[in-house]
Amino acid sequence: MEYEVIVVGGGHAGCEAALATSRKGHKTLLITGNIKNIADMPCNPSIGGPAKGIVVREIDALGGEMGKNADKAALQVKMLNTKKGPAVQALRAQEDKNIYPKEMLKTLYKQENLEIKESIVEHLIVEDNKIKGVILENNEKIESDTVILTTGTYLKANILVGSSKTPGGPHGEKESKFLSNDLKELGFNILRLKTGTPPRIDKNSIDYEKISVESGDNCELTFSFNNKAYYDYKNQIPCYLTYTNENTHQIIKDHLHESSMYGGYVEGIGPRYCPSIEDKVVRFSDKERHQLFLEPESNVFEDENYGNTIYIQGFSTSMPENVQEEMVHSLKGLEHAKFIKYAYAIEYDAIDSKQLKQSLETKLVEGLYTAGQINGTSGYEEAAGQGLIAGINASLKLEGKEPLILKRNEAYIGVLIDDLVTKGVKDPYRLLTSRAEYRLLLRHDNADIRLKDYGYQVGLISSEDYQKFNFKKQQIEEVYKILKETRITPKEDINQYLESIGSSKLKDGINLYDLLKRPEIKIDNIKKFIDLNYDKEVLEQVEINIRYEGYIAKANKDAEKMLSLETKKIPEDIDYDKIPNIASEAKQKLSEIRPTSLGQASRISGVNPADISILMVYLKRRSNYE
C-alpha cells in the first residue's frame, strides 16, 4: 500500500508531523515501536518553561496539537518570570503522564487520512537520491512519496546505569539497530549524544514537613488560544522544593568513578544546559547546594506506572542503583524515600543538523525530513515544533508549493531551526531565551499575532478560529483608538488618584495612550478613567505594546536590517573556492552548510563580516555578468 507520507516514531515530533500532514489531506502512516508509548513523556512530567512555553504557544498558533493536549493534562500551571519583563515570561505546566499520551492517542485515532502501525523501521528505500519508502524489521516494504524521521533516542540506543550498558529505548523497548547505518551509508554525519533522567520515588515515603511547597498561580492559564482550562486553579496539585547538601555532594565525589559518564562508559556527549547531578557537583564545586523540585507525575492514583511517583527534577544521574539510594536518602525530606524507578542515562545516534535545509528536508535525500532528537535537540517542545514544521513542509512539497520558513524575528521555532541548520550541535540543543536576539518580539502573549496567519494559509487553522482571531485583532485596534482619543486633565480627583498609586500629578492634559507609557501605570489603572470591557488577552496585548513601544520599534528596526540580508539569495551552484580573499575557514564552512541567503551566511560560526562583504560584492558582479 502506498502512502504520501510515512512518519517514523510516535513521540512529540512524530505526533505533530503526522497530524499536520493528515489534516492537510495527505494519506499518512505513523509507524511506532509501541503504540502504548505514543506521545510518552519518558523524562520530566512538564510542558513549557523559559522559551519552551512560548514554543508551545507558537505550535498552537500554527495549528498544532501540543498546547491543546497539555491543557487537557495539566495538574499545575504557573507563569514564570512574572517579576521580569514580558520578553522572558513563559508558561510552564506540570502534566499528568497518564492523561497526556492517552488524549493524544485519542486525537490521532480520530484523525482522517492517518493510520498507525506498530513496528520498527530499520531501512530506508532510496533511489537516485530520492526517498521511496521504508523497510520494517520483518522486511516488509512500504512505499511513500515522503518520509519524516522522528526517531527520538532510539537509534542504536543504550541504557546506562553505572558500569552497566544495555541496548534499548527509554522504557527498555527495542532500539532501532540499523537505521543510523543506512543514514551513514547515504552520506550523513552521525553524532553520538547522551541524555539522562532522575529517579522516581514513592510520594507516600516523603517527609513533607521538611520541605517547602511550590504552588501554581491563582488564576486560569492555558497554552492554547482556545482558552479552555480543564484544571481547577483553586485545587492544583502541589510540587515541593528541597536541596542537595554537603553530604550529598560528598557521596557523589566518593563514587564519581562509578558513574557511567565519569567511569568512561559513555560515548555520547551530554546536554550542557541540563547536566547530571554529578556533573553539577564537579562543574560548580563552589556551590554549597543545588535546588531540586519534587514533581508529581500523575493524579491517577490507581495507575501502576505513575500514580504514586514523584520525579526529582534536577537530580539526573547515571550512578549505580545502590549509590542512587545513598544520594537520595541524604536529601532533606527524602531520608526514607522508596524508589519506584532508578535513574539512568541513555545514549543514541543523531545526524549532523547542518545537513538539513531550513524546511527540515535533508540536503542529501529529496523527500526525507527529520525532526526532534535525531536532529540533536533535547526537550518535548523543541521536538514538537520541529515535527509540526516538517509535517507542514512535507505537505507543501507534495502540493508543489514553497516551504514555510519561519524567520528569527517571527518565532522561537524559527530561531531553533536556524540555529540547527546554520550552526549545528555538539551536545543536545536546548532552546533558551538568550538565543533569540529579538525576544521582545517573540513573546508569550503575541504568538497568535505573529503566526496564526501562517497557520491559516497552510490550512491548519479553521475558518471559525481564524474569524475569532481577526475579531481579537480588531478589538486591539479599537482599544488603541479609544486610548488615543480619550484625554484626562489635571483635575483634583485625578491627581489624587495618580498620587495614590505612586504616579506624578498632571500639569497638562494627556491622552490615556501616553499615560499608559508611565512605568507605574497598569491597564487596570486606566480603567479608573474609562470603561474597557474587553478580554484580558486583548488588554494585555495593548498594555505591553504601548509600555514597550520604543523598545519594540528598535527591535523591529534591527530585524529589518537582518531581513535585508535574508532577501539576498545565494545560488545553489556557487563555488566558494573561486571567490578570492575569503578566509579559508569561511570557505570551508560556507561550502559545508551551503547557506541560502547572506543573512544565513552571516550567522555561520567562522564566517566574519569581512567575508560577508566580499561575498556580497562577488554576488553583485556575478549577477551583472549573468
Side-chain angles (χ1 to χ4, degrees):
M1 183 179 290
E2 185 175 317
Y3 294 87
E4 290 181 278
V5 184
I6 291 175
V7 178
V8 181
H12 302 282
C15 289
E16 294 293 350
L19 286 170
T21 56
S22 56
R23 284 170 174 171
K24 282 179 62 59
H26 300 292
K27 191 173 183 182
T28 302
L29 177 65
L30 173 62
I31 304 175
T32 182
N34 187 343
I35 289 176
K36 291 181 180 178
N37 289 334
I38 279 180
D40 182 39
M41 304 174 78
C43 196
N44 56 302
S46 66
I47 295 289
K52 294 167 177 276
I54 301 174
V55 169
V56 182
R57 295 277 277 185
E58 292 176 351
I59 290 168
D60 190 73
L62 288 166
E65 196 65 28
M66 175 174 265
K68 295 179 181 65
N69 208 56
D71 289 341
K72 293 175 185 175
L75 295 174
Q76 184 199 105
V77 189
K78 61 170 62 177
M79 184 67 76
L80 305 181
N81 299 323
T82 53
K83 293 181 180 179
K84 300 179 181 179
V88 294
Q89 292 176 15
L91 210 58
R92 185 179 189 274
Q94 292 302 136
E95 296 290 316
D96 193 309
K97 291 174 77 167
N98 288 300
I99 294 174
Y100 189 94
K102 287 176 182 176
E103 288 296 328
M104 186 65 84
L105 190 56
K106 283 182 192 176
T107 302
L108 292 168
Y109 275 138
K110 289 177 184 175
Q111 183 57 47
E112 294 181 9
N113 305 310
L114 177 59
E115 295 177 28
I116 302 174
K117 186 177 183 68
E118 191 172 83
S119 187
I120 300 286
V121 171
E122 290 292 14
H123 300 284
L124 300 175
I125 304 171
V126 179
E127 297 175 8
D128 299 323
N129 296 322
K130 291 185 178 181
I131 198 73
K132 296 295 181 180
V134 300
I135 301 175
L136 306 183
E137 58 186 335
N138 63 358
N139 289 322
E140 180 186 354
K141 295 183 179 180
I142 306 177
E143 295 181 351
S144 177
D145 299 314
T146 57
V147 171
I148 305 174
L149 297 180
T150 64
T151 50
T153 60
Y154 283 83
L155 295 183
K156 288 190 176 178
N158 286 321
I159 297 291
L160 301 116
V161 179
S163 60
S164 169
K165 181 183 286 192
T166 308
H171 296 288
E173 308 102 324
K174 260 197 292 188
E175 78 283 16
S176 176
K177 297 179 181 178
F178 307 111
L179 186 53
S180 59
N181 290 343
D182 264 26
L183 292 168
K184 194 170 185 177
E185 288 176 12
L186 288 166
F188 288 93
N189 300 325
I190 301 299
L191 313 175
R192 193 69 173 164
L193 300 178
K194 179 207 79 110
T195 188
T197 191
R200 275 68 155 181
I201 58 173
D202 189 332
K203 69 174 186 178
N204 297 313
S205 63
I206 297 171
D207 187 344
Y208 292 97
E209 291 185 1
K210 294 182 178 180
I211 56 181
S212 56
V213 177
E214 291 287 316
S215 302
D217 287 351
N218 192 32
C219 61
E220 286 186 350
L221 297 166
T222 63
F223 285 109
S224 176
F225 286 95
N226 287 348
N227 295 326
K228 182 177 180 181
Y230 294 82
Y231 71 106
D232 180 0
Y233 75 89
K234 295 179 180 178
N235 293 290
Q236 298 181 62
I237 306 300
C239 296
Y240 298 88
L241 178 64
T242 189
Y243 295 88
T244 61
N245 53 56
E246 187 178 339
N247 187 20
T248 314
H249 295 187
Q250 192 58 52
I251 293 168
I252 290 170
K253 291 173 185 176
D254 291 344
H255 295 275
L256 201 59
H257 63 286
E258 297 180 56
S259 118
S260 297
M261 182 164 55
Y262 286 91
Y265 305 106
V266 174
E267 299 172 40
I269 300 172
R272 182 185 310 177
Y273 297 103
C274 189
S276 65
I277 189 62
E278 52 262 43
D279 208 15
K280 288 181 189 176
V281 169
V282 171
R283 286 166 54 187
F284 308 107
S285 56
D286 58 319
K287 300 287 184 184
E288 294 182 358
R289 64 180 190 172
H290 297 283
Q291 67 179 13
L292 305 171
F293 289 97
L294 306 182
E295 302 175 341
E297 293 200 306
S298 178
N299 199 29
V300 183
F301 302 117
E302 66 272 14
D303 187 275
E304 60 182 15
N305 292 322
Y306 304 118
N308 290 310
T309 58
I310 293 290
Y311 177 96
I312 310 178
Q313 176 75 261
F315 211 66
S316 172
T317 182
S318 60
M319 287 286 195
E321 293 176 358
N322 64 309
V323 180
Q324 289 186 37
E325 293 196 15
E326 273 191 72
M327 290 160 59
V328 169
H329 291 155
S330 72
L331 303 173
K332 186 177 287 189
L334 306 187
E335 294 88 349
H336 305 289
K338 293 180 181 178
F339 276 67
I340 291 179
K341 186 177 183 180
Y342 290 95
Y344 62 86
I346 184 168
E347 59 180 11
Y348 54 94
D349 282 353
I351 66 167
D352 182 351
S353 57
K354 296 193 298 296
Q355 294 178 291
L356 299 174
K357 300 176 182 179
Q358 288 185 312
S359 63
L360 295 182
E361 184 181 18
T362 66
K363 295 175 180 177
L364 298 176
V365 180
E366 185 180 349
L368 177 64
Y369 295 76
T370 58
Q373 285 176 287
I374 189 175
N375 289 343
T377 59
S378 65
Y380 310 144
E381 304 84 359
E382 289 95 333
Q386 292 174 73
L388 177 60
I389 295 299
I392 288 171
N393 285 332
S395 298
L396 293 173
K397 185 178 183 70
L398 290 167
E399 296 160 13
K401 298 175 181 177
E402 289 296 309
L404 174 64
I405 309 296
L406 298 176
K407 302 179 187 70
R408 295 182 71 90
N409 65 315
E410 290 182 316
Y412 269 100
I413 296 174
V415 173
L416 163 66
I417 293 174
D418 186 64
D419 280 352
L420 290 177
V421 304
T422 303
K423 301 174 183 177
V425 300
K426 292 181 179 178
D427 51 75
Y429 177 100
R430 181 179 182 180
L431 196 57
L432 307 165
T433 53
S434 59
R435 296 190 191 273
E437 58 270 53
Y438 308 112
R439 55 186 169 273
L440 184 56
L441 305 180
L442 311 180
R443 305 187 307 273
H444 165 92
D445 64 278
N446 70 352
D448 57 340
I449 303 295
R450 292 184 277 119
L451 299 175
K452 211 147 200 176
D453 283 327
Y454 288 132
Y456 181 69
Q457 289 163 16
V458 300
L460 294 181
I461 296 293
S462 69
S463 295
E464 182 183 354
D465 282 347
Y466 195 59
Q467 285 176 2
K468 290 178 183 176
F469 166 64
N470 283 325
F471 180 65
K472 175 183 174 179
K473 288 199 295 185
Q474 179 185 326
Q475 286 190 310
I476 290 171
E477 292 303 319
E478 283 179 13
V479 177
Y480 286 145
K481 186 178 179 183
I482 291 169
L483 295 179
K484 286 177 179 178
E485 292 178 351
T486 306
R487 293 180 63 81
I488 55 174
T489 54
K491 293 179 180 178
E492 185 177 351
D493 60 331
I494 290 175
N495 278 334
Q496 284 179 351
Y497 175 71
L498 290 174
E499 280 191 306
S500 73
I501 58 174
S503 190
S504 58
K505 292 180 179 182
L506 296 180
K507 294 180 180 178
D508 301 297
I510 188 174
N511 66 32
L512 296 182
Y513 187 98
D514 289 331
L515 183 68
L516 189 53
K517 291 179 182 178
R518 292 186 177 187
E520 69 279 1
I521 301 291
K522 311 294 184 191
I523 196 74
D524 284 342
N525 300 130
I526 297 295
K527 292 178 181 179
K528 175 76 174 177
F529 309 112
I530 191 171
D531 182 27
L532 289 173
N533 188 23
Y534 292 87
D535 288 344
K536 180 183 175 183
E537 280 196 351
V538 169
L539 297 178
E540 178 186 39
Q541 182 87 181
V542 168
E543 179 176 11
I544 291 172
N545 284 338
I546 293 175
R547 289 167 66 82
Y548 293 88
E549 187 176 54
Y551 296 104
I552 291 172
K554 183 180 183 304
N556 278 319
K557 190 174 181 180
D558 291 342
E560 284 173 14
K561 293 179 183 177
M562 179 268 293
L563 292 174
S564 68
L565 286 177
E566 298 295 333
T567 61
K568 293 179 171 62
K569 300 300 179 184
I570 301 175
E572 290 184 11
D573 63 346
I574 191 169
D575 185 348
Y576 292 101
D577 289 328
K578 292 182 178 179
I579 305 176
N581 301 321
I582 286 185
S584 297
E585 182 185 5
K587 286 182 180 180
Q588 183 264 321
K589 291 287 184 69
L590 290 165
S591 298
E592 176 191 7
I593 296 170
R594 315 269 341 149
T596 59
S597 70
L598 282 175
Q600 186 185 1
S602 70
R603 294 189 293 275
I604 297 173
S605 174
V607 178
N608 297 315
D611 300 314
I612 295 298
S613 296
I614 294 168
L615 178 57
M616 191 182 300
V617 171
Y618 177 83
L619 291 173
K620 284 180 181 178
R621 287 176 178 171
R622 172 175 163 148
S623 62
N624 288 337
Y625 293 142
E626 294 177 352

